[in-house]
Amino acid sequence: MATRFHHSRAERFDSTPRWVTSAVRTRSSAEGSSSTHGFRPEAGAGGRRRKREEGKRVLFGNDMKKVDEIYYKARKILLAPSDHKAIRGKVEKRMAEEKKHREDLDAHGPEFVVLLRPHTVWEKMNVTMSCIVQGAPSPTVTWFKDGIPIKPPDAPGKYTIENKIGLQTLEISRCSPLDSGRYSALASNTHGEAWSYATILVNKYQGSDAGDSICLDSARPEPDVDILDGFAVSFPKEGGSLTLSCCFSTPLNGQSGEVIWLHDGALLKESPLVKIATSAHDTRLTLTHVYKEDEGLYTVCLFTPTGCKEHSGYVFVRDAAAAEPGAAGSPLDVECRDVDRDYVLVAWKPPSADGGSAVIGYLIDRREVGTEEWVQCNHIPEKTCKFPALGLCENHTYQFRVRAVNAAGISRASRVSEPVTVTDRTAASRIMRIWTDRGEIVVTKDELEGDVRVPFPPTQLRVTEVGQTFAALGWNEPDPRGREPLTYCVEKSVVGSESWQQASMGITVSCPRFAVTELDKGKVYTFRVKSVNKYGISQPSAPSQGIPFGQIPAAPCCPRNVVPVRDSRTSVELLWEGPEDENELIGFYIYACQVGTNNWEICNNKPVNTNRFTVHGLSPRKEYVFRVKSVSPAGLSDYSVESTPIIVDNSISLPSAPYGLTLLSSGKREMVIAWNKPKFPMGPDILGYYLDCCDAAVAEWHEVNIKPITARVYKMGNLTEGRFYEFRVFAMNWAGVGPSSAVSDQFKCEQWTTPEPGPPFHLECTEVRNSSLHLHWQPPIYTGKDEVTGYLLELCETEGGEWRAINEKPTPSTHLRVSPLDEGKTYIFRVCALNSAGAGVPSLPSDPVCALTRPGTTEMGTGVDEDGNVFLVFQCPEVTDTSEFIWSKDEQDIATPERVRVETAGDVCKLILVDPGDADLGMYSVQVTGTDGLSSSHTLTNEELQKLKELSHRKKHPVIGVKSDWAVELLDKGSVRLWLQVESLSPTAHLQLIFNQKELSSNPTHRINFDRASGLVEIIIQNFTEADQGSYTAQLQDGKATGQFTLVLINDKFRALLSECDFQRNEWRRKQGPYFEKYLSWVVTDDCETLLTCKVTNTRCQTQVTWSKDGQPLTQPTYDPNTGTSALVIPQITKIDEGVYKVVVSDERGEDTSVLKILDQVFDDILREICTIAGSTASDLKMQPTAEGIKIYSSLKYNMDYMKKSWALNNKTLESQDRRRIGSDNHEVWLQIFNPTEADKGKYTLEMFVGKLTHKRELNLSQKVFDEVIAEYQRLKQAAFAEKNRAKVAKGLPDVVNVIENKALYLSCTVSGDPSPEVCWLKNDKEVAASDNCQVTVDKTSVTFSIQKVTSQDSGRYTLLVKNKHGSESAVITVGVYKCGEEATNQ
């Protein structure tokens, strides 16, 4: 059927041509009809045919055909709306049926998620049965006992039935054995019912531990689990971590309970930011990264067989450090709304902290999930707390964050929003599911709507949000929409202009939401939207209402009537009235200020949406004022008017019920009853108690006392022996009478005759610390046959655990310090008394106590006040208006109150010992009422008391303390300053100075200064002389305090001071003219030169600088007037340079002299410095082959004999000898080895010693190196031998010889060589032959050349050539012959 329906619908839809109106008119005129309506859709087929035939008779040819076609098309178009309405009605009917079918499928009968559990309890206890039931619609629950409905009105106060969001509870108060039975819960709704069953067993209590007389055997129930040591109010910082934990009274097991955590009532589950860990002993909730959104009330729920146990604590998140100084806090609660295909409206809440300047707007960032890049969505800060994000990609997932902007900068980013995927939100509504016997049929609207061509206009256009920079629009899709994808064109217009402009220019709007920007402030705009598909553009929608742009929504009005109310010692409950106009109100921020500080603190970083809030974390006993701001998307309101000041303290409320009723003694007609004081409240004092008694046989209660009883022990008479009695107690304070205690066990009135003592009572724990506590108790009323001799104590870690002894030997006192204890564990204690007959009945167990030191706990201390009073002091920050400090000594009231005095100021209390002595030694204790047992103790020993008495004596007879004793200081021009500094003195302090038994007063030569504020006393002596030798005494008095301080200046101390004064005085005189700024000194340069320098100052042009040595002037020094530096350079210092060097600088104003003695030690120091520098410049050892052997040497800048040297071969010292000779000169140190052999191989070491400093150089002469050296040595040796033995002309021949003609020429010389050389004479390079006139004679080494009679022909160049096998040499002589009378010339 669905398929046929689809085809018929598709055939009926078509687009409407614009010429349809004219076509209808043409057809009407052709038929000759006078009707203006043209056609009747309900006309039959026969009637249409007759009219068409008549028309053909009038018209002709193609004209009639055209009119006929126009007629049928127009008729089809006019019938379409009526068909569409019918089909739409069918679809809506089907969708309603489908919705009802879905609801029928979702609905189901009741189901118990958590079933009832059986309980076993003691008589007179309360029990709570609980279960969780679900169902749709929500079921109703009826409770039954043994099949009979429970009706609370029939037994007022007995049953309490509650429904806490699915948690069904039945509480039965003061159970009796009659309450045992089978209980059931019936849950029912229109779809069915469900049952859950459980039994309750009520046992009679075994009261032997409490001294009662009834002993009924019954099975001990399993211990119930309770929450202990729950977490307190927490104040984590944004960005940090937080762990909340609480312990259980007994270990959990599979049947004893389950745990859940809630945040502001919402169930918490494990996540990367939330970790929940539950063990048998405790449960922990950890927030790994704290955000402001995590602020709120956290609750842990423990479901046990007896009911649901809860513990709650508020978590306040403090702001993290600002990203920039003065920046606002981070926004919070970023959420995404109106999600569509490319559009998300981001909303958030403003921060409570503005950093001192108002928030001007917000910046919104987005990022696509899976990436780390944040993209800023707006560049102009948006003032309101909403912003539309456009341009998103369909089916992509995004996250957003927000930052606040103020004048100081940009805040930290908010917490990232939850991921949101932008999709078509209308896609699901366009799908219809139909369930049939054959299965599910899915039909889409696209299949029903047919071929819509040009789209219809959108409908219900509206302005959803108006911000500072945008106007958000929303509209409905056209109906029918058609199959083709739709986009939209948004237009805007200023009201009254009649012109429209496109507002979505360049932006593809694919969903029915859009934000228009770039609007002019102060103008009123209206908008309209057109639908667009591939076939065309629709007609515009109806215009929206005009909205004025630029008018920022006004901030909310401030709250009114802020009223603070006391809540606890650290909290105040605040109430106020919200603004009258609560449109879009998000909540409130609260601010607190301690009176007198003007320091306003933020109390909550997450807006509270109620008109009541408890401000925690306040200082006890301090006065505060409060103010409140309203929060809305438009921002924060102004501050409310400040509240009236209030002092933080506990509120006054009725006391809770006393507990622990115990029978202490019994006679024939009397009983002694004791009880414990109420646990809450701790503040107001209990004014008294009222006791009621009930005869168990009569079951009627009557008052025992008319006036309140101040003690917690009461002896009641006029009872009937043998009867059983029950008791109950009421406590009273200024607020009134509180609830009654639980009814006691039934006690039998009979004479006690047991020889053992009765139970001690009022067992209390004080001074609870991490590893110890103090127990106190009262002795038993009934002592047995004789006196009590001691007490035995026991402890138990849990209520169901085993008792173990604390003390092996009985303690005679009624108090005991118990240690060591395990930190963090919970204990209970009990005590029994002993006499000669044995141990009596133990006391009731104490209240459970956890061995933990309370935060802020202080210990009792001792001290001495300014008046010298010895005191013990205790500070209790939790003290209240009604608190009292109760002091005791050795666990007893102070027996001699005249020896002590108590002074209390605020939270500090002092016990002053009037006359401290041995009677005051002992253990002092103090307890503070109204503070949940805050107490401390201190044992005052004799040693400590003596120290306190010594300090007291110093306080009563004070001495002015000295900061700096007498000191001596030299001033300019040789003046002396004597000064003393004591502690700060009052303006009335008095000074008296005594010098050599005479009072010293201020005068021009001895000026006295006394600064009382700084405690400075000084004497300035202008001209210090012999007359100032002696003692100086300063006597000071400031009120009761005195001080005397003496300075003795005599003998050597005075002489040294006087000498120094004279020197300083002379120095001052010296510096009146030119003087030496730096005296003459020496320094050795890197070139081993000695440099003598000095520097003068205060010079003029006429100033002269002269040098001398041993009285002889020196001219070598230099002097630079610009720098005042004068210097003398000694290149190579020797003994000649020793002496006394003197430099004189002088002019008309005076002169100054500087002397430097370069003698003895100074000369040695200079030589040592030169050798040190020279030794450091020594090169590595080098090797040089010679004709005689091998030379190993090191070069250095300067060598002196002052530097000792040592040579070693293979670590064996070498001495200078024939074959190895050691030598040096100014720049080298060497070792000469003659005729080297294999023994000369190895490592050579040269050590140069300068005092304790050693310079070492090494050379390794290996085999290979040695062979190369020997080869070179042999070559050089041979060359030297040849040079030695070759033929040489030794001496005798001149260079030029002039001879007179006809005279004889005689030339003679000596030659050498081995073998004897051959001799040859040449003249002009031609050999000279011997003749009678020319003769050559060789006699061994003597060679003679002679010409008997020379002529001019004999002139020329003569050469003597000698040679042998080793070489040759020649000598050239020029011979000139001249005639007699001519002048000889040298050629």
Side-chain angles (χ1 to χ4, degrees):
M1 292 177 62
T3 304
R4 292 196 299 271
F5 179 73
H6 163 70
H7 284 304
S8 63
R9 178 61 176 157
E11 292 170 357
R12 289 173 176 263
F13 269 86
D14 200 354
S15 58
T16 305
R18 297 184 178 179
W19 37 264
V20 65
T21 305
S22 61
V24 172
R25 291 196 187 102
T26 304
R27 179 65 177 174
S28 178
S29 61
E31 293 175 350
S33 174
S34 60
S35 174
T36 59
H37 291 83
F39 298 103
R40 295 181 181 270
E42 65 274 10
R48 291 196 298 271
R49 179 172 296 276
R50 286 192 300 270
K51 291 180 180 179
R52 186 170 64 251
E53 291 174 354
E54 293 174 359
K56 286 183 178 179
R57 286 195 298 267
V58 176
L59 299 178
F60 300 94
N62 293 332
D63 293 336
M64 187 61 215
K65 182 180 179 181
K66 292 178 180 179
V67 171
D68 210 24
E69 291 175 354
I70 292 172
Y71 165 78
Y72 282 112
K73 287 183 179 181
R75 185 175 182 276
K76 183 178 180 181
I77 292 171
L78 292 175
L79 288 175
S82 61
D83 291 345
H84 171 69
K85 182 176 180 181
I87 294 173
R88 185 170 185 83
K90 293 179 181 179
V91 172
E92 290 177 350
K93 180 179 179 182
R94 182 61 57 86
M95 292 180 70
E97 294 174 355
E98 177 188 353
K99 180 179 179 182
K100 184 176 184 303
H101 183 66
R102 283 200 304 269
E103 290 177 352
D104 293 341
L105 290 178
D106 292 339
H108 60 85
E111 178 185 1
F112 282 92
V113 179
V114 177
L115 300 174
L116 294 175
R117 296 181 179 179
H119 296 265
T120 302
V121 296
W122 295 116
E123 187 182 15
K124 296 184 177 61
M125 287 180 58
N126 292 358
V127 64
T128 300
M129 304 189 72
S130 60
C131 60
I132 296 179
V133 63
Q134 293 180 351
S138 181
T140 58
V141 176
T142 306
W143 292 87
F144 296 85
K145 177 182 180 295
D146 297 331
I148 301 174
I150 296 175
K151 299 179 180 180
D154 294 344
K158 183 67 175 178
Y159 301 104
T160 302
I161 298 175
E162 291 184 351
N163 179 7
K164 300 178 180 179
I165 317 176
L167 176 63
Q168 309 287 338
T169 60
L170 168 65
E171 183 180 3
I172 307 174
S173 61
R174 298 190 64 220
C175 292
S176 66
L178 297 177
D179 292 318
S180 299
R182 186 169 186 252
Y183 287 79
S184 57
L186 170 64
S188 60
N189 63 9
T190 56
H191 296 280
E193 60 184 28
W195 290 84
S196 180
Y197 303 92
T199 58
I200 292 180
L201 176 61
V202 181
N203 291 326
K204 270 190 169 291
Y205 179 65
Q206 295 185 3
S208 60
D209 287 347
D212 61 1
S213 57
I214 297 178
C215 186
L216 301 176
D217 293 333
S218 62
R220 181 182 179 92
E222 290 293 329
D224 193 15
V225 184
D226 204 348
I227 298 175
L228 300 178
D229 303 325
F231 51 89
V233 177
S234 303
F235 299 89
K237 181 172 284 189
E238 181 184 10
S241 61
L242 172 67
T243 298
L244 304 176
S245 64
C246 57
C247 303
F248 304 131
S249 59
T250 56
L252 289 181
N253 54 48
Q255 299 178 352
S256 58
E258 58 180 337
V259 178
I260 63 172
W261 286 84
L262 306 175
H263 175 211
D264 289 336
L267 180 65
L268 287 175
K269 297 182 179 180
E270 283 271 356
S271 70
L273 297 178
V274 179
K275 304 295 182 184
I276 299 176
T278 301
S279 65
H281 300 282
D282 61 6
T283 180
R284 294 176 180 271
L285 170 69
T286 301
L287 304 179
T288 57
H289 191 287
V290 177
Y291 292 96
K292 292 182 181 180
E293 290 82 352
D294 296 321
E295 184 170 292
L297 183 67
Y298 285 79
T299 304
V300 57
C301 298
L302 173 62
F303 294 95
T304 68
T306 60
C308 178
K309 311 294 178 61
E310 294 183 356
H311 174 76
S312 299
Y314 209 92
V315 172
F316 296 86
V317 180
R318 300 302 192 200
D319 277 306
E324 301 178 31
S330 58
L332 67 157
D333 283 341
V334 180
E335 60 178 349
C336 301
R337 305 173 183 171
D338 299 341
V339 181
D340 217 312
R341 297 173 66 179
D342 60 355
Y343 175 96
V344 170
L345 181 66
V346 183
W348 61 91
K349 294 177 182 177
S352 58
D354 57 13
S357 58
V359 174
I360 60 177
Y362 300 90
L363 297 177
I364 296 86
D365 303 329
R366 77 165 187 265
R367 74 173 177 190
E368 196 168 339
V369 173
T371 66
E372 297 298 328
E373 180 182 2
W374 288 95
V375 179
Q376 188 168 311
C377 298
N378 60 320
H379 298 285
I380 300 175
E382 174 57 42
K383 178 66 175 177
T384 59
C385 294
K386 297 177 183 178
F387 185 81
L390 305 177
L392 307 179
C393 298
E394 188 175 1
N395 296 324
H396 285 223
T397 303
Y398 294 90
Q399 288 179 302
F400 297 86
R401 69 180 187 187
V402 183
R403 295 171 293 161
V405 182
N406 66 1
I410 301 175
S411 74
R412 297 163 60 96
S414 67
R415 183 177 183 174
V416 178
S417 70
E418 293 294 329
V420 59
T421 303
V422 289
T423 58
D424 185 0
R425 64 187 180 92
T426 63
S429 63
R430 297 182 60 81
I431 298 175
M432 180 174 64
R433 289 178 173 83
I434 303 174
W435 283 269
T436 65
D437 296 338
R438 297 183 180 181
E440 180 183 5
I441 300 177
V442 179
V443 180
T444 65
K445 274 193 175 183
D446 292 342
E447 296 173 333
L448 299 177
E449 290 176 347
D451 297 328
V452 175
R453 297 301 180 98
V454 177
F456 290 97
T459 59
Q460 298 184 14
L461 174 62
R462 58 201 176 276
V463 179
T464 58
E465 304 287 346
V466 179
Q468 183 184 11
T469 60
F470 70 92
L473 308 179
W475 58 87
N476 292 349
E477 292 182 334
D479 193 6
R481 189 186 71 174
R483 299 178 181 177
E484 301 302 331
L486 277 182
T487 59
Y488 301 94
C489 175
V490 181
E491 296 178 342
K492 63 182 178 181
S493 173
V494 177
V495 173
S497 65
E498 301 297 333
S499 63
W500 291 88
Q501 299 175 352
Q502 188 171 345
S504 58
M505 182 71 71
I507 302 175
T508 301
V509 183
S510 57
C511 69
R513 298 205 176 263
F514 186 70
V516 181
T517 58
E518 299 180 0
L519 301 176
D520 296 332
K521 293 183 178 180
K523 295 183 179 180
V524 179
Y525 285 90
T526 185
F527 306 93
R528 67 183 186 184
V529 185
K530 298 178 180 178
S531 303
V532 181
N533 66 7
K534 71 177 184 179
Y535 294 109
I537 303 174
S538 73
Q539 294 294 321
S541 67
S544 67
Q545 293 182 350
I547 57 107
F549 185 75
Q551 295 181 2
I552 301 175
C557 298
C558 61
R560 299 167 291 129
N561 300 333
V562 180
V563 179
V565 180
R566 283 186 176 181
D567 182 67
S568 71
R569 289 189 45 75
T570 59
S571 63
V572 167
E573 186 174 10
L574 207 63
L575 299 92
W576 63 88
E577 294 181 11
E580 295 180 356
D581 183 10
E582 297 187 357
N583 185 28
E584 292 190 299
L585 189 65
I586 296 175
F588 303 93
Y589 283 131
I590 297 92
Y591 304 83
C593 176
Q594 188 173 332
V595 173
T597 63
N598 198 29
N599 180 24
W600 288 94
E601 296 182 355
I602 301 169
C603 299
N604 62 314
N605 266 320
K606 184 177 179 181
V608 295
N609 50 17
T610 62
N611 291 8
R612 178 190 298 262
F613 186 72
T614 302
V615 180
H616 289 270
L618 305 177
S619 300
R621 301 290 303 149
K622 301 297 183 181
E623 193 173 19
Y624 284 85
V625 292
F626 302 88
R627 58 190 185 187
V628 186
K629 278 186 176 182
S630 302
V631 186
S632 76
L636 305 182
S637 71
D638 295 332
Y639 288 108
S640 67
V641 177
E642 291 183 8
S643 68
T644 56
I646 187 173
I647 297 177
V648 181
D649 208 338
N650 288 316
S651 60
I652 299 177
S653 58
L654 291 174
S656 60
Y659 64 100
L661 275 75
T662 309
L663 180 63
L664 301 181
S665 177
S666 177
K668 292 182 178 182
R669 295 179 57 80
E670 61 187 21
M671 287 183 179
V672 180
I673 305 295
W675 57 89
N676 294 330
K677 60 185 177 183
K679 294 182 179 180
F680 302 102
M682 296 176 291
D685 291 335
I686 300 298
L687 301 179
Y689 299 92
Y690 294 98
L691 181 65
D692 287 357
C693 177
C694 175
D695 189 336
V698 181
E700 291 183 359
W701 289 95
H702 66 274
E703 297 177 351
V704 174
N705 57 308
I706 303 301
K707 295 183 178 180
I709 307 167
T710 56
R712 288 181 284 130
V713 178
Y714 188 76
K715 182 178 181 180
M716 188 174 59
N718 298 324
L719 303 177
T720 303
E721 184 178 6
R723 291 202 174 219
F724 289 91
Y725 291 92
E726 295 176 334
F727 300 91
R728 65 185 183 188
V729 185
F730 302 81
M732 181 189 72
N733 64 4
W734 290 111
V737 178
S740 70
S741 66
V743 177
S744 70
D745 297 322
Q746 293 182 357
F747 300 134
K748 186 177 182 180
C749 182
E750 62 180 358
Q751 181 68 48
W752 283 6
T753 58
T754 57
E756 296 85 3
F761 60 100
H762 293 171
L763 178 60
E764 297 179 352
C765 302
T766 61
E767 300 178 45
V768 180
R769 303 295 186 263
N770 289 336
S771 60
S772 66
L773 54 79
H774 212 105
L775 288 176
H776 309 261
W777 61 90
Q778 296 296 326
I781 301 296
Y782 177 75
T783 60
K785 70 175 184 178
D786 52 16
E787 295 297 325
V788 174
T789 59
Y791 300 91
L792 291 176
L793 290 95
E794 295 177 318
L795 65 78
C796 176
E797 291 188 6
T798 58
E799 290 190 16
E802 296 181 357
W803 291 94
R804 66 175 189 268
I806 297 175
N807 55 328
E808 296 180 358
K809 295 182 180 181
T811 176
S813 60
T814 57
H815 61 89
L816 181 69
R817 182 171 293 278
V818 181
S819 67
L821 300 175
D822 294 334
E823 181 179 352
K825 285 191 175 181
T826 302
Y827 298 90
I828 55 176
F829 302 89
R830 68 182 183 184
V831 58
C832 63
L834 282 82
N835 62 11
S836 59
V841 178
S843 68
L844 280 180
S846 69
D847 293 333
V849 58
C850 183
L852 276 178
T853 302
R854 290 174 59 175
T857 298
T858 59
E859 300 295 344
M860 186 188 301
T862 58
V864 179
D865 60 19
E866 293 301 322
D867 296 329
N869 296 318
V870 177
F871 62 84
L872 292 95
V873 62
F874 181 65
Q875 182 178 14
C876 178
E878 299 184 15
V879 69
T880 65
D881 290 340
T882 58
S883 294
E884 292 183 4
F885 291 83
I886 301 176
W887 291 85
S888 61
K889 181 186 175 190
D890 297 329
E891 299 300 327
Q892 302 292 330
D893 292 340
I894 298 178
T896 54
E898 68 277 1
R899 297 186 59 85
V900 297
R901 186 173 73 252
V902 178
E903 293 182 357
T904 304
D907 59 356
V908 177
C909 183
K910 291 182 180 180
L911 180 71
I912 299 175
L913 305 181
V914 177
D915 185 16
D918 293 341
D920 297 309
L921 299 178
M923 186 182 73
Y924 289 84
S925 303
V926 61
Q927 290 188 355
V928 186
T929 62
T931 59
D932 194 18
L934 275 180
S935 57
S936 182
S937 64
H938 180 79
T939 300
L940 185 62
T941 62
N942 183 57
E943 181 182 359
E944 183 181 14
L945 182 60
Q946 295 304 321
K947 292 181 180 179
L948 293 172
K949 290 172 68 175
E950 291 177 5
L951 181 59
S952 173
H953 178 76
R954 290 198 297 269
K955 291 289 184 72
K956 290 180 178 179
H957 305 89
V959 176
I960 295 176
V962 61
K963 290 185 177 180
S964 178
D965 209 344
W966 279 109
V968 180
E969 182 180 341
L970 292 176
L971 305 178
D972 294 338
K973 302 181 184 181
S975 300
V976 176
R977 176 177 177 252
L978 310 179
W979 64 278
L980 162 76
Q981 187 174 17
V982 297
E983 61 189 13
S984 180
L985 303 175
S986 68
T988 60
H990 176 69
L991 167 67
Q992 185 177 15
L993 280 172
I994 306 297
F995 173 61
N996 292 339
Q997 308 301 322
K998 296 181 180 179
E999 185 175 356
L1000 183 65
S1001 58
S1002 183
N1003 56 60
T1005 60
H1006 294 71
R1007 190 170 73 252
I1008 300 173
N1009 297 324
F1010 180 31
D1011 186 356
R1012 293 173 176 80
S1014 62
L1016 183 64
V1017 178
E1018 64 178 3
I1019 306 172
I1020 299 177
I1021 305 175
Q1022 299 294 338
N1023 188 14
F1024 195 74
T1025 62
E1026 289 282 351
D1028 296 310
Q1029 183 176 195
S1031 63
Y1032 295 82
T1033 301
Q1035 296 178 349
L1036 292 168
Q1037 183 172 2
D1038 188 8
K1040 296 190 299 182
T1042 60
Q1044 181 170 307
F1045 309 93
T1046 300
L1047 171 67
V1048 179
L1049 284 178
I1050 58 174
N1051 301 333
D1052 294 342
K1053 185 176 181 180
F1054 174 78
R1055 297 298 174 194
L1057 179 60
L1058 182 61
S1059 176
E1060 185 66 23
C1061 286
D1062 292 339
F1063 173 77
Q1064 293 291 344
R1065 195 176 296 113
N1066 293 334
E1067 277 290 291
W1068 178 80
R1069 293 194 186 102
R1070 181 177 69 87
K1071 293 181 180 180
Q1072 300 309 304
Y1075 65 91
F1076 284 94
E1077 182 179 344
K1078 292 182 180 179
Y1079 286 101
L1080 188 60
S1081 62
W1082 62 268
V1083 66
V1084 177
T1085 66
D1086 292 340
D1087 295 329
C1088 298
E1089 296 178 339
T1090 303
L1091 179 65
L1092 307 182
T1093 61
C1094 61
K1095 186 176 182 181
V1096 297
T1097 186
N1098 196 22
T1099 60
R1100 294 180 179 177
C1101 297
Q1102 299 82 6
T1103 303
Q1104 295 180 351
V1105 178
T1106 58
W1107 287 69
S1108 64
K1109 175 180 174 289
D1110 296 333
Q1112 299 298 321
L1114 298 175
T1115 59
Q1116 299 92 336
T1118 60
Y1119 170 61
D1120 184 359
N1122 294 326
T1123 61
T1125 303
S1126 182
L1128 172 64
V1129 179
I1130 305 175
Q1132 295 181 353
I1133 193 168
T1134 62
K1135 277 286 187 180
I1136 300 176
D1137 298 311
E1138 280 189 301
V1140 178
Y1141 291 80
K1142 180 179 179 181
V1143 182
V1144 178
V1145 56
S1146 62
D1147 58 18
E1148 68 277 5
R1149 295 171 296 166
E1151 68 176 28
D1152 194 10
T1153 304
S1154 178
V1155 177
L1156 176 63
K1157 295 180 180 180
I1158 302 181
L1159 300 169
D1160 302 330
Q1161 184 62 42
V1162 176
F1163 184 72
D1164 288 345
D1165 292 342
I1166 295 175
L1167 295 182
R1168 185 183 300 107
E1169 183 67 19
I1170 293 174
C1171 292
T1172 300
I1173 296 175
S1176 65
T1177 64
S1179 67
D1180 293 334
L1181 289 180
K1182 300 178 182 178
M1183 182 180 57
Q1184 179 182 355
T1186 65
E1188 292 82 11
I1190 302 173
K1191 180 182 179 182
I1192 300 175
Y1193 67 95
S1194 174
S1195 300
L1196 62 165
K1197 286 188 176 181
Y1198 187 57
N1199 179 34
M1200 302 184 71
D1201 294 338
Y1202 186 86
M1203 181 168 55
K1204 306 302 180 184
K1205 300 123 184 131
S1206 173
W1207 288 89
L1209 173 60
N1210 296 329
N1211 298 326
K1212 292 183 179 180
T1213 305
L1214 299 178
E1215 300 292 341
S1216 184
Q1217 54 185 357
D1218 293 341
R1219 207 171 67 82
R1220 294 191 183 101
R1221 294 180 184 175
I1222 297 173
S1224 63
D1225 57 18
N1226 287 343
H1227 298 288
E1228 276 190 2
V1229 179
W1230 69 78
L1231 170 65
Q1232 181 70 49
I1233 303 173
F1234 298 97
N1235 299 322
T1237 64
E1238 288 291 330
D1240 296 317
K1241 293 187 297 183
K1243 184 176 72 173
Y1244 286 85
T1245 303
L1246 170 62
E1247 291 183 327
M1248 296 168 284
F1249 303 96
V1250 183
K1252 296 182 180 181
L1253 182 64
T1254 302
H1255 301 281
K1256 181 185 288 187
R1257 301 293 185 269
E1258 295 179 344
L1259 175 65
N1260 191 4
L1261 193 59
S1262 63
Q1263 181 66 47
K1264 180 179 179 181
V1265 176
F1266 182 77
D1267 292 343
E1268 294 175 354
V1269 171
I1270 290 298
E1272 181 66 14
Y1273 156 68
Q1274 294 293 344
R1275 187 188 67 77
L1276 294 175
K1277 182 178 180 181
Q1278 292 176 4
F1281 179 79
E1283 178 66 20
K1284 178 180 179 183
N1285 294 309
R1286 70 177 176 84
K1288 299 177 183 177
V1289 179
K1291 58 182 177 178
L1293 290 179
D1295 292 334
V1296 177
V1297 175
N1298 292 317
V1299 181
I1300 300 175
E1301 190 177 9
N1302 297 323
K1303 296 291 183 179
L1305 172 65
Y1306 182 81
L1307 300 174
S1308 178
C1309 69
T1310 301
V1311 298
S1312 63
D1314 186 16
S1316 299
E1318 297 178 2
V1319 178
C1320 178
W1321 285 88
L1322 301 177
K1323 177 186 177 184
N1324 296 330
D1325 299 329
K1326 293 182 179 181
E1327 185 176 358
V1328 178
S1331 62
D1332 294 339
N1333 191 38
C1334 178
Q1335 296 179 359
V1336 176
T1337 303
V1338 177
D1339 183 9
K1340 296 182 180 180
T1341 60
S1342 178
V1343 177
T1344 303
F1345 177 77
S1346 62
I1347 300 176
Q1348 299 299 325
K1349 187 177 181 180
V1350 297
T1351 64
S1352 58
Q1353 298 296 325
D1354 294 323
S1355 300
R1357 186 181 67 180
Y1358 290 82
T1359 303
L1360 173 60
L1361 178 64
V1362 293
K1363 64 180 179 179
N1364 62 9
K1365 64 179 182 180
H1366 296 297
S1368 62
E1369 188 174 277
S1370 61
V1372 179
I1373 308 99
T1374 301
V1375 176
V1377 178
Y1378 62 96
K1379 295 180 178 180
C1380 185
E1382 294 180 354
E1383 184 177 356
T1385 61
N1386 293 328
Q1387 299 182 11

